[in-house]
Coordinates of all heavy atoms in Angstrom, one line a residue:
M6 N -32.8 25.6 15.9 CA -33.9 26.5 16.4 C -35.1 25.6 16.8 O -35.6 24.8 16.1 CB -34.3 27.4 15.3 CG -35.3 28.4 15.7 SD -35.6 29.5 14.3 CE -36.5 30.8 15.1
R7 N -35.5 25.8 18.0 CA -36.6 25.0 18.6 C -38.0 25.6 18.2 O -38.1 26.8 18.1 CB -36.5 24.8 20.1 CG -36.6 26.1 20.9 CD -36.3 25.8 22.3 NE -36.1 27.0 23.0 CZ -37.1 27.5 23.8 NH1 -38.2 27.0 24.0 NH2 -36.8 28.7 24.4
G8 N -39.0 24.8 18.1 CA -40.3 25.3 17.8 C -41.0 25.8 19.0 O -40.6 25.4 20.2
I9 N -42.0 26.5 18.8 CA -42.8 27.0 20.0 C -44.0 26.1 20.2 O -44.7 25.7 19.3 CB -43.3 28.4 19.7 CG1 -42.1 29.4 19.5 CG2 -44.2 28.9 20.8 CD1 -42.5 30.8 19.1
S10 N -44.1 25.6 21.4 CA -45.2 24.7 21.8 C -46.6 25.3 21.7 O -46.7 26.5 21.7 CB -45.0 24.1 23.2 OG -45.2 25.2 24.1
H11 N -47.6 24.5 21.6 CA -48.9 24.9 21.5 C -49.3 25.7 22.8 O -49.9 26.7 22.8 CB -49.9 23.7 21.4 CG -51.3 24.1 21.3 ND1 -51.9 24.8 20.3 CD2 -52.3 23.9 22.2 CE1 -53.2 25.0 20.5 NE2 -53.5 24.4 21.7
E12 N -48.8 25.2 24.0 CA -49.1 25.9 25.2 C -48.4 27.3 25.3 O -49.0 28.3 25.8 CB -48.5 25.1 26.4 CG -49.2 23.8 26.7 CD -48.8 22.7 25.7 OE1 -47.7 22.7 25.2 OE2 -49.5 21.7 25.5
S13 N -47.2 27.4 24.7 CA -46.5 28.7 24.6 C -47.3 29.7 23.7 O -47.4 30.8 24.0 CB -45.1 28.5 24.2 OG -44.4 29.7 24.2
K14 N -47.8 29.2 22.6 CA -48.5 30.0 21.7 C -49.8 30.5 22.4 O -50.2 31.7 22.2 CB -48.9 29.3 20.4 CG -47.7 29.1 19.5 CD -48.2 28.3 18.2 CE -47.0 28.0 17.3 NZ -47.4 27.3 16.2
R15 N -50.5 29.6 23.1 CA -51.7 30.0 23.8 C -51.3 31.1 24.9 O -52.0 32.1 25.1 CB -52.3 28.8 24.5 CG -53.7 29.1 25.1 CD -54.5 27.9 25.6 NE -54.1 26.7 25.0 CZ -53.6 25.6 25.7 NH1 -53.5 25.7 27.0 NH2 -53.3 24.5 25.2
A16 N -50.2 30.9 25.6 CA -49.8 31.9 26.6 C -49.5 33.2 26.0 O -49.8 34.2 26.5 CB -48.6 31.3 27.4
E17 N -48.8 33.2 24.8 CA -48.5 34.4 24.1 C -49.8 35.1 23.7 O -49.9 36.3 23.9 CB -47.8 34.1 22.8 CG -46.3 34.2 22.8 CD -45.7 33.9 21.5 OE1 -46.3 34.2 20.4 OE2 -44.6 33.3 21.5
S18 N -50.8 34.4 23.2 CA -52.0 35.0 22.8 C -52.8 35.6 24.0 O -53.3 36.7 24.0 CB -53.0 34.0 22.1 OG -52.4 33.7 20.8
E19 N -52.8 34.9 25.1 CA -53.4 35.3 26.3 C -52.7 36.6 26.9 O -53.4 37.5 27.3 CB -53.5 34.3 27.4 CG -54.4 33.1 27.1 CD -55.9 33.6 27.0 OE1 -56.3 34.5 27.8 OE2 -56.6 33.1 26.1
G20 N -51.4 36.6 26.8 CA -50.6 37.8 27.2 C -51.0 39.0 26.3 O -51.2 40.1 26.8
L21 N -51.0 38.8 25.0 CA -51.4 39.9 24.1 C -52.8 40.4 24.4 O -53.1 41.6 24.4 CB -51.3 39.4 22.7 CG -49.9 39.2 22.1 CD1 -49.9 38.6 20.8 CD2 -49.2 40.6 22.0
L22 N -53.7 39.4 24.6 CA -55.1 39.8 24.9 C -55.1 40.7 26.2 O -55.8 41.8 26.2 CB -56.0 38.6 25.2 CG -56.4 37.8 23.9 CD1 -57.0 36.4 24.4 CD2 -57.4 38.6 23.1
R23 N -54.4 40.3 27.2 CA -54.4 41.1 28.5 C -53.8 42.4 28.3 O -54.2 43.4 28.8 CB -53.7 40.3 29.6 CG -54.5 39.1 30.1 CD -54.0 38.5 31.4 NE -52.6 38.1 31.3 CZ -52.1 36.9 30.9 NH1 -53.0 36.0 30.6 NH2 -50.8 36.7 30.8
R24 N -52.6 42.4 27.6 CA -51.9 43.7 27.4 C -52.7 44.7 26.6 O -52.8 45.9 26.9 CB -50.6 43.4 26.7 CG -49.7 44.7 26.5 CD -49.4 45.3 27.9 NE -48.4 46.4 27.7 CZ -48.3 47.5 28.5 NH1 -49.2 47.6 29.5 NH2 -47.4 48.4 28.2
I25 N -53.4 44.2 25.5 CA -54.2 45.2 24.7 C -55.4 45.7 25.5 O -55.7 46.9 25.5 CB -54.6 44.5 23.4 CG1 -53.4 44.3 22.5 CG2 -55.7 45.3 22.7 CD1 -53.6 43.4 21.3
D26 N -56.0 44.8 26.3 CA -57.1 45.2 27.2 C -56.6 46.3 28.2 O -57.2 47.3 28.4 CB -57.6 44.0 27.9 CG -58.9 44.3 28.7 OD1 -59.9 44.8 28.0 OD2 -58.9 44.1 29.9
E27 N -55.4 46.0 28.7 CA -54.8 46.9 29.7 C -54.6 48.3 29.1 O -54.9 49.4 29.6 CB -53.5 46.3 30.2 CG -52.7 47.0 31.2 CD -51.4 46.2 31.6 OE1 -50.4 46.3 30.8 OE2 -51.5 45.5 32.6
L28 N -54.0 48.3 27.8 CA -53.7 49.6 27.2 C -55.0 50.3 26.7 O -55.0 51.5 26.8 CB -52.8 49.3 25.9 CG -51.4 48.9 26.3 CD1 -50.6 48.4 25.0 CD2 -50.6 50.0 27.0
C29 N -56.0 49.6 26.3 CA -57.2 50.2 25.9 C -57.9 50.9 27.1 O -58.4 52.0 27.0 CB -58.2 49.2 25.3 SG -57.8 48.8 23.6
K30 N -57.8 50.3 28.3 CA -58.3 50.9 29.5 C -57.5 52.1 29.9 O -58.0 53.2 30.2 CB -58.3 49.9 30.6 CG -59.4 48.9 30.5 CD -59.4 47.8 31.6 CE -60.4 46.8 31.3 NZ -60.3 45.6 32.2
K31 N -56.2 52.0 29.8 CA -55.3 53.1 30.1 C -55.5 54.3 29.3 O -55.5 55.5 29.7 CB -53.8 52.7 30.0 CG -52.8 53.8 30.3 CD -51.4 53.3 30.2 CE -50.4 54.4 30.5 NZ -49.0 53.9 30.5
Y32 N -55.7 54.1 28.0 CA -55.9 55.2 27.0 C -57.3 55.5 26.7 O -57.6 56.3 25.8 CB -55.1 54.9 25.7 CG -53.6 54.9 25.9 CD1 -52.9 53.8 26.2 CD2 -52.9 56.2 25.9 CE1 -51.5 53.8 26.4 CE2 -51.5 56.2 26.1 CZ -50.8 55.0 26.4 OH -49.5 55.1 26.6
N33 N -58.2 54.8 27.4 CA -59.7 55.0 27.2 C -60.1 54.8 25.8 O -60.7 55.7 25.1 CB -60.1 56.4 27.7 CG -61.6 56.5 27.9 OD1 -62.2 55.5 28.2 ND2 -62.1 57.7 27.7
L34 N -59.7 53.7 25.2 CA -60.0 53.3 23.8 C -60.8 52.0 23.8 O -60.6 51.2 24.6 CB -58.7 53.1 23.0 CG -57.8 54.2 22.8 CD1 -56.4 53.8 22.3 CD2 -58.4 55.3 21.9
T35 N -61.7 51.9 22.8 CA -62.3 50.6 22.5 C -61.4 49.8 21.7 O -60.4 50.4 21.1 CB -63.7 50.8 21.8 OG1 -63.4 51.4 20.5 CG2 -64.6 51.7 22.6
Y36 N -61.6 48.5 21.6 CA -60.8 47.7 20.7 C -60.9 48.2 19.3 O -59.9 48.2 18.5 CB -61.2 46.2 20.8 CG -61.1 45.6 22.2 CD1 -62.1 44.7 22.6 CD2 -60.1 46.0 23.0 CE1 -62.0 44.2 23.8 CE2 -60.1 45.4 24.3 CZ -61.1 44.5 24.7 OH -61.0 44.0 26.0
S37 N -62.1 48.6 18.9 CA -62.4 49.0 17.5 C -61.6 50.3 17.2 O -61.0 50.5 16.2 CB -63.9 49.2 17.3 OG -64.1 49.7 16.0
S38 N -61.6 51.3 18.2 CA -60.9 52.5 18.0 C -59.4 52.3 17.9 O -58.7 53.0 17.1 CB -61.3 53.6 19.0 OG -61.0 53.2 20.3
L39 N -58.9 51.4 18.8 CA -57.5 51.1 18.7 C -57.1 50.5 17.4 O -56.1 50.8 16.7 CB -57.0 50.2 19.9 CG -55.6 49.8 19.8 CD1 -54.6 51.0 19.9 CD2 -55.3 48.8 20.9
S40 N -58.0 49.6 16.9 CA -57.7 48.9 15.7 C -57.7 49.9 14.5 O -56.8 49.9 13.7 CB -58.8 47.8 15.4 OG -58.5 46.9 14.4
N41 N -58.7 50.8 14.5 CA -58.7 51.8 13.4 C -57.5 52.8 13.5 O -57.0 53.1 12.5 CB -60.0 52.6 13.5 CG -61.2 51.8 13.0 OD1 -61.1 50.9 12.2 ND2 -62.4 52.1 13.6
K42 N -57.2 53.2 14.7 CA -56.0 54.1 14.9 C -54.7 53.4 14.5 O -53.8 54.0 13.9 CB -56.0 54.5 16.4 CG -55.0 55.5 16.7 CD -55.1 56.0 18.1 CE -54.0 57.0 18.4 NZ -54.3 57.7 19.7
A43 N -54.5 52.2 14.8 CA -53.3 51.5 14.6 C -53.2 50.9 13.2 O -52.1 50.9 12.6 CB -53.0 50.4 15.7
C44 N -54.2 50.3 12.8 CA -54.2 49.5 11.5 C -55.1 49.9 10.4 O -54.9 49.6 9.3 CB -54.5 48.0 11.8 SG -53.7 47.3 13.2
G45 N -56.1 50.7 10.8 CA -57.0 51.1 9.8 C -58.0 50.0 9.3 O -58.7 50.1 8.3
N46 N -58.0 48.9 10.1 CA -58.9 47.8 9.8 C -59.3 47.2 11.1 O -59.0 47.6 12.2 CB -58.3 46.9 8.8 CG -57.0 46.2 9.3 OD1 -56.9 45.9 10.5 ND2 -56.1 46.0 8.4
S47 N -59.9 46.0 11.0 CA -60.5 45.3 12.2 C -59.6 44.3 12.8 O -60.0 43.4 13.6 CB -61.8 44.7 11.9 OG -61.7 43.8 10.9
T48 N -58.3 44.3 12.5 CA -57.4 43.2 12.9 C -57.4 43.0 14.4 O -57.5 41.9 14.9 CB -55.9 43.5 12.4 OG1 -56.0 43.6 11.0 CG2 -55.0 42.5 12.9
I49 N -57.2 44.1 15.1 CA -57.2 44.0 16.6 C -58.5 43.6 17.2 O -58.6 42.8 18.1 CB -56.7 45.4 17.2 CG1 -55.3 45.7 16.7 CG2 -56.7 45.4 18.7 CD1 -54.8 47.1 16.9
S50 N -59.6 44.2 16.7 CA -60.9 43.8 17.1 C -61.2 42.3 16.9 O -61.7 41.6 17.8 CB -62.0 44.6 16.4 OG -61.9 46.0 16.7
S51 N -60.8 41.8 15.8 CA -60.9 40.4 15.5 C -60.1 39.5 16.4 O -60.6 38.5 16.9 CB -60.5 40.1 14.1 OG -61.3 40.7 13.1
F52 N -58.9 39.9 16.8 CA -58.1 39.2 17.7 C -58.7 39.2 19.1 O -58.8 38.2 19.8 CB -56.7 39.8 17.8 CG -55.8 39.2 18.8 CD1 -55.3 37.9 18.6 CD2 -55.4 39.8 19.9 CE1 -54.5 37.3 19.6 CE2 -54.6 39.3 20.9 CZ -54.2 38.0 20.7
M53 N -59.2 40.4 19.5 CA -59.7 40.5 20.9 C -61.0 39.7 21.0 O -61.3 39.2 22.1 CB -60.0 42.0 21.2 CG -58.7 42.8 21.3 SD -57.4 42.2 22.4 CE -58.1 42.6 24.0
S54 N -61.8 39.6 19.9 CA -63.0 38.7 20.0 C -62.7 37.3 19.7 O -63.6 36.5 19.7 CB -64.1 39.3 19.0 OG -63.6 39.1 17.7
K55 N -61.4 37.0 19.6 CA -60.9 35.6 19.4 C -61.3 35.0 18.0 O -61.3 33.8 17.8 CB -61.3 34.7 20.5 CG -60.7 35.2 21.8 CD -60.9 34.2 23.0 CE -60.2 34.8 24.2 NZ -60.4 34.0 25.4
D56 N -61.7 35.9 17.1 CA -61.9 35.4 15.7 C -60.6 35.2 15.0 O -60.6 34.4 14.0 CB -62.7 36.4 14.9 CG -64.2 36.6 15.4 OD1 -64.7 35.6 16.0 OD2 -64.8 37.6 15.2
Q57 N -59.6 35.8 15.4 CA -58.2 35.7 14.9 C -57.3 35.1 16.0 O -57.4 35.6 17.1 CB -57.8 37.0 14.4 CG -56.4 37.0 13.8 CD -56.1 38.4 13.2 OE1 -56.9 39.1 12.7 NE2 -54.8 38.8 13.4
E58 N -56.5 34.1 15.7 CA -55.7 33.4 16.7 C -54.5 34.2 17.2 O -54.2 34.0 18.4 CB -55.2 32.1 16.1 CG -56.3 31.1 16.0 CD -55.8 29.7 15.6 OE1 -54.6 29.4 15.9 OE2 -56.6 28.9 15.0
T59 N -53.9 35.0 16.4 CA -52.7 35.7 16.9 C -52.6 37.0 16.2 O -53.2 37.3 15.2 CB -51.4 34.8 16.7 OG1 -50.4 35.4 17.4 CG2 -51.1 34.7 15.2
L60 N -51.7 37.8 16.7 CA -51.3 39.1 16.1 C -49.8 39.0 15.7 O -49.0 38.3 16.4 CB -51.4 40.3 17.1 CG -52.8 40.7 17.5 CD1 -52.7 41.9 18.5 CD2 -53.6 41.2 16.2
Y61 N -49.5 39.5 14.6 CA -48.1 39.5 14.1 C -47.4 40.8 14.4 O -48.0 41.8 14.8 CB -48.1 39.2 12.6 CG -48.7 37.9 12.3 CD1 -50.0 37.7 11.8 CD2 -47.9 36.7 12.4 CE1 -50.6 36.5 11.6 CE2 -48.5 35.5 12.2 CZ -49.8 35.3 11.8 OH -50.3 34.1 11.5
M62 N -46.1 40.7 14.4 CA -45.3 41.8 14.9 C -45.6 43.1 14.2 O -45.6 44.1 14.8 CB -43.8 41.4 14.7 CG -42.9 42.3 15.5 SD -43.6 42.3 17.2 CE -42.1 42.0 18.1
P63 N -45.8 43.2 12.9 CA -46.2 44.5 12.3 C -47.4 45.1 12.9 O -47.5 46.3 13.1 CB -46.4 44.1 10.8 CG -45.6 42.9 10.5 CD -45.7 42.1 11.8
T64 N -48.4 44.3 13.3 CA -49.6 44.8 14.0 C -49.2 45.3 15.4 O -49.7 46.4 15.8 CB -50.7 43.7 14.0 OG1 -51.0 43.3 12.7 CG2 -52.0 44.3 14.7
I65 N -48.4 44.6 16.1 CA -48.0 45.0 17.4 C -47.2 46.3 17.3 O -47.4 47.2 18.1 CB -47.2 43.9 18.1 CG1 -48.1 42.7 18.4 CG2 -46.6 44.4 19.4 CD1 -47.4 41.4 18.8
Y66 N -46.4 46.4 16.3 CA -45.6 47.6 16.1 C -46.5 48.8 15.7 O -46.3 49.9 16.2 CB -44.6 47.4 15.0 CG -43.7 48.6 14.7 CD1 -42.7 49.0 15.7 CD2 -43.8 49.3 13.5 CE1 -41.9 50.1 15.4 CE2 -42.9 50.4 13.3 CZ -42.0 50.8 14.3 OH -41.2 51.8 14.0
S67 N -47.6 48.5 15.0 CA -48.5 49.6 14.6 C -49.3 50.1 15.9 O -49.5 51.3 16.0 CB -49.6 49.1 13.6 OG -48.9 48.8 12.4
I68 N -49.6 49.1 16.8 CA -50.2 49.5 18.1 C -49.2 50.4 18.8 O -49.6 51.5 19.4 CB -50.5 48.3 18.9 CG1 -51.6 47.5 18.3 CG2 -50.9 48.7 20.4 CD1 -51.9 46.1 18.9
C69 N -48.0 50.1 18.9 CA -47.0 50.9 19.6 C -46.9 52.3 19.0 O -46.8 53.3 19.7 CB -45.6 50.2 19.5 SG -45.5 48.7 20.5
L70 N -46.8 52.4 17.7 CA -46.8 53.7 17.0 C -48.0 54.5 17.3 O -47.9 55.7 17.6 CB -46.6 53.5 15.5 CG -45.3 53.0 15.0 CD1 -45.4 52.8 13.5 CD2 -44.2 53.9 15.4
A71 N -49.2 53.9 17.3 CA -50.4 54.6 17.6 C -50.5 55.1 19.0 O -51.1 56.2 19.2 CB -51.6 53.7 17.3
L72 N -49.9 54.4 19.9 CA -49.9 54.8 21.3 C -48.6 55.4 21.8 O -48.5 55.7 23.0 CB -50.2 53.5 22.2 CG -51.6 52.9 21.9 CD1 -51.7 51.6 22.8 CD2 -52.7 53.8 22.1
N73 N -47.7 55.7 20.9 CA -46.4 56.3 21.2 C -45.7 55.5 22.3 O -45.2 56.1 23.2 CB -46.6 57.8 21.6 CG -45.4 58.6 21.5 OD1 -44.5 58.3 20.7 ND2 -45.2 59.5 22.4
L74 N -45.6 54.2 22.0 CA -44.9 53.3 22.9 C -43.8 52.6 22.1 O -43.9 52.4 21.0 CB -45.8 52.1 23.4 CG -47.0 52.5 24.3 CD1 -47.9 51.2 24.5 CD2 -46.6 53.0 25.6
S75 N -42.7 52.3 22.8 CA -41.7 51.5 22.2 C -42.1 50.0 22.3 O -43.0 49.7 23.1 CB -40.3 51.6 22.9 OG -40.4 51.1 24.2
L76 N -41.5 49.1 21.5 CA -41.8 47.7 21.7 C -41.4 47.2 23.1 O -42.1 46.4 23.7 CB -41.1 46.9 20.6 CG -41.6 47.0 19.2 CD1 -40.7 46.3 18.2 CD2 -43.0 46.3 19.1
K77 N -40.3 47.7 23.6 CA -39.9 47.4 25.0 C -41.0 47.7 26.0 O -41.4 46.9 26.8 CB -38.6 48.1 25.3 CG -38.1 47.7 26.7 CD -36.9 48.4 27.1 CE -36.3 48.1 28.4 NZ -37.2 47.9 29.5
E78 N -41.6 48.9 25.8 CA -42.7 49.4 26.7 C -43.9 48.5 26.6 O -44.6 48.2 27.6 CB -43.0 50.8 26.5 CG -42.0 51.8 26.9 CD -42.2 53.2 26.5 OE1 -42.6 53.4 25.3 OE2 -42.0 54.1 27.3
F79 N -44.2 48.1 25.4 CA -45.3 47.2 25.1 C -45.2 45.9 25.8 O -46.1 45.4 26.5 CB -45.5 47.0 23.6 CG -46.7 46.1 23.3 CD1 -48.0 46.7 23.2 CD2 -46.6 44.7 23.2 CE1 -49.1 45.9 22.9 CE2 -47.7 43.9 22.9 CZ -49.0 44.5 22.8
F80 N -44.0 45.3 25.7 CA -43.8 43.9 26.2 C -43.3 43.9 27.7 O -43.3 42.9 28.3 CB -42.8 43.1 25.4 CG -43.4 42.7 24.1 CD1 -43.0 43.3 22.9 CD2 -44.3 41.6 24.1 CE1 -43.6 42.8 21.7 CE2 -44.9 41.2 22.9 CZ -44.5 41.8 21.7
D81 N -43.0 45.1 28.2 CA -42.5 45.2 29.6 C -43.8 45.3 30.5 O -44.1 46.4 31.0 CB -41.6 46.4 29.8 CG -40.9 46.4 31.1 OD1 -40.8 45.3 31.8 OD2 -40.4 47.4 31.5
S82 N -44.5 44.2 30.6 CA -45.7 44.2 31.3 C -45.8 42.8 32.0 O -45.4 41.8 31.5 CB -46.9 44.4 30.4 OG -48.1 44.0 31.0
Q83 N -46.5 42.8 33.2 CA -46.7 41.6 33.9 C -47.6 40.6 33.1 O -47.6 39.4 33.3 CB -47.4 41.8 35.2 CG -46.4 42.5 36.2 CD -47.1 42.8 37.5 OE1 -48.3 42.8 37.6 NE2 -46.3 43.0 38.5
C84 N -48.3 41.1 32.0 CA -49.1 40.3 31.2 C -48.3 39.2 30.5 O -48.8 38.2 30.1 CB -49.8 41.1 30.1 SG -50.9 42.4 30.7
F85 N -47.0 39.4 30.4 CA -46.1 38.5 29.7 C -45.2 37.7 30.6 O -44.3 37.0 30.1 CB -45.3 39.2 28.6 CG -46.1 39.9 27.6 CD1 -46.2 41.3 27.6 CD2 -46.9 39.3 26.7 CE1 -47.0 42.0 26.7 CE2 -47.7 39.9 25.8 CZ -47.8 41.3 25.8
D86 N -45.3 37.8 31.9 CA -44.4 37.2 32.8 C -44.4 35.7 32.8 O -43.4 35.1 33.1 CB -44.7 37.7 34.3 CG -44.2 39.1 34.5 OD1 -43.5 39.7 33.7 OD2 -44.5 39.6 35.6
D87 N -45.4 35.1 32.3 CA -45.5 33.6 32.3 C -45.0 33.0 30.9 O -45.1 31.8 30.7 CB -46.9 33.1 32.6 CG -47.3 33.5 34.0 OD1 -46.5 33.6 34.9 OD2 -48.5 33.6 34.2
I88 N -44.5 33.8 30.1 CA -44.1 33.4 28.7 C -42.6 33.2 28.7 O -41.8 34.2 28.7 CB -44.6 34.3 27.6 CG1 -46.1 34.4 27.8 CG2 -44.2 33.8 26.3 CD1 -46.7 35.5 26.9
D89 N -42.1 32.0 28.7 CA -40.7 31.7 28.7 C -39.9 32.4 27.6 O -38.8 33.0 27.9 CB -40.4 30.2 28.6 CG -40.9 29.5 29.8 OD1 -41.0 30.1 30.9 OD2 -41.2 28.3 29.7
E90 N -40.4 32.4 26.4 CA -39.6 33.0 25.3 C -39.4 34.5 25.5 O -38.3 35.1 25.3 CB -40.3 32.8 24.0 CG -40.2 31.4 23.4 CD -41.2 30.5 24.1 OE1 -42.1 30.9 24.9 OE2 -41.2 29.3 23.7
I91 N -40.4 35.2 26.1 CA -40.3 36.6 26.3 C -39.3 36.9 27.5 O -38.5 37.8 27.5 CB -41.6 37.3 26.5 CG1 -42.4 37.3 25.2 CG2 -41.5 38.7 27.1 CD1 -43.8 37.8 25.3
N92 N -39.4 36.0 28.5 CA -38.5 36.2 29.6 C -37.0 35.9 29.2 O -36.1 36.6 29.7 CB -38.9 35.2 30.8 CG -40.1 35.7 31.5 OD1 -40.3 37.0 31.7 ND2 -41.0 34.9 31.8
E93 N -36.8 35.0 28.3 CA -35.5 34.7 27.8 C -34.9 36.0 27.1 O -33.7 36.3 27.3 CB -35.5 33.5 26.8 CG -35.6 32.2 27.5 CD -35.8 31.0 26.5 OE1 -35.5 31.2 25.4 OE2 -36.3 30.0 27.0
I94 N -35.7 36.6 26.3 CA -35.3 37.8 25.6 C -35.0 38.9 26.6 O -34.0 39.6 26.5 CB -36.3 38.2 24.5 CG1 -36.4 37.2 23.4 CG2 -36.0 39.6 24.0 CD1 -37.5 37.3 22.5
R95 N -35.9 39.1 27.6 CA -35.7 40.1 28.6 C -34.4 39.9 29.3 O -33.6 40.9 29.5 CB -36.8 40.1 29.6 CG -38.2 40.6 29.2 CD -39.2 40.4 30.3 NE -40.5 41.0 30.0 CZ -41.6 40.7 30.7 NH1 -41.5 39.8 31.7 NH2 -42.7 41.2 30.3
N96 N -34.1 38.7 29.6 CA -32.8 38.4 30.3 C -31.6 38.7 29.5 O -30.6 39.1 30.0 CB -32.8 36.9 30.8 CG -33.8 36.7 31.9 OD1 -34.2 37.6 32.6 ND2 -34.3 35.4 32.0
Q97 N -31.7 38.4 28.2 CA -30.6 38.7 27.3 C -30.3 40.2 27.2 O -29.1 40.6 27.0 CB -30.9 38.2 25.9 CG -30.9 36.7 25.7 CD -31.3 36.3 24.3 OE1 -31.5 37.1 23.5 NE2 -31.3 35.0 24.1
Y98 N -31.3 41.0 27.3 CA -31.1 42.5 27.1 C -31.1 43.3 28.4 O -31.0 44.5 28.4 CB -32.1 43.0 26.2 CG -31.9 42.5 24.8 CD1 -32.7 41.4 24.3 CD2 -31.0 43.0 24.0 CE1 -32.4 40.9 23.0 CE2 -30.7 42.5 22.7 CZ -31.5 41.4 22.2 OH -31.2 40.9 21.0
Q99 N -31.1 42.6 29.6 CA -31.0 43.3 30.8 C -29.6 43.9 31.0 O -28.6 43.3 30.6 CB -31.3 42.4 32.0 CG -32.8 42.2 32.3 CD -33.0 41.4 33.5 OE1 -32.1 40.7 34.0 NE2 -34.2 41.4 34.0
K100 N -29.6 45.1 31.5 CA -28.3 45.8 31.7 C -27.7 45.2 32.9 O -28.3 44.9 33.9 CB -28.5 47.3 31.9 CG -29.0 48.0 30.7 CD -29.2 49.5 31.0 CE -29.7 50.2 29.8 NZ -30.0 51.6 30.0
P101 N -26.4 44.9 32.9 CA -25.7 44.3 34.1 C -25.7 45.3 35.2 O -25.6 46.5 35.0 CB -24.3 44.1 33.6 CG -24.2 44.5 32.2 CD -25.5 45.1 31.8
E102 N -25.9 44.8 36.4 CA -25.9 45.7 37.6 C -24.5 46.0 38.1 O -23.6 45.3 38.0 CB -26.8 45.1 38.7 CG -28.2 44.9 38.2 CD -29.0 44.3 39.3 OE1 -28.7 44.3 40.5 OE2 -30.1 43.8 38.9

């Protein structure tokens, strides 16, 4: 199993920042209101203000539940197009044409 490079981690964080911003605008939510709705604490707000370096999958899943999105819908965004690991997973699960 290969490790994730520092550049890849940074790209992941930037993708998450963009996607959460995109979803907050779409659903007319502040970072704080999304954080309270999804987690009941300031985890998302801390991440968006860059006080926290990353979000973990349980938090991302909580965002999905709060917004009635599947994980696929969350990650199926151009915000993640530059992240090799996500593109590899997308390619594995694409339906054959």
Side-chain angles (χ1 to χ4, degrees):
M6 183 176 192
R7 66 185 167 102
I9 298 175
S10 71
H11 179 68
E12 293 81 21
S13 186
K14 286 181 185 178
R15 188 173 339 119
E17 261 179 37
S18 290
E19 289 299 319
L21 287 169
L22 286 166
R23 287 191 308 267
R24 182 61 170 147
I25 292 170
D26 188 59
E27 182 179 84
L28 291 170
C29 282
K30 287 176 182 170
K31 178 179 180 179
Y32 291 96
N33 197 30
L34 295 168
T35 63
Y36 303 142
S37 180
S38 62
L39 176 60
S40 196
N41 288 330
K42 185 175 181 167
C44 310
N46 60 38
S47 62
T48 301
I49 298 165
S50 296
S51 294
F52 176 71
M53 296 305 286
S54 64
K55 299 185 180 181
D56 290 337
Q57 182 176 320
E58 286 186 28
T59 192
L60 288 179
Y61 296 98
M62 199 50 131
T64 303
I65 294 168
Y66 183 67
S67 295
I68 292 169
C69 291
L70 290 176
L72 299 178
N73 198 29
L74 296 172
S75 68
L76 285 169
K77 181 183 182 318
E78 290 169 317
F79 182 88
F80 286 106
D81 192 19
S82 167
Q83 290 180 343
C84 297
F85 302 108
D86 284 352
D87 295 334
I88 303 171
D89 292 336
E90 286 81 3
I91 291 177
N92 286 321
E93 288 173 17
I94 293 168
R95 285 177 180 165
N96 291 337
Q97 288 176 2
Y98 292 98
Q99 279 184 341
K100 294 179 182 175
E102 293 181 22

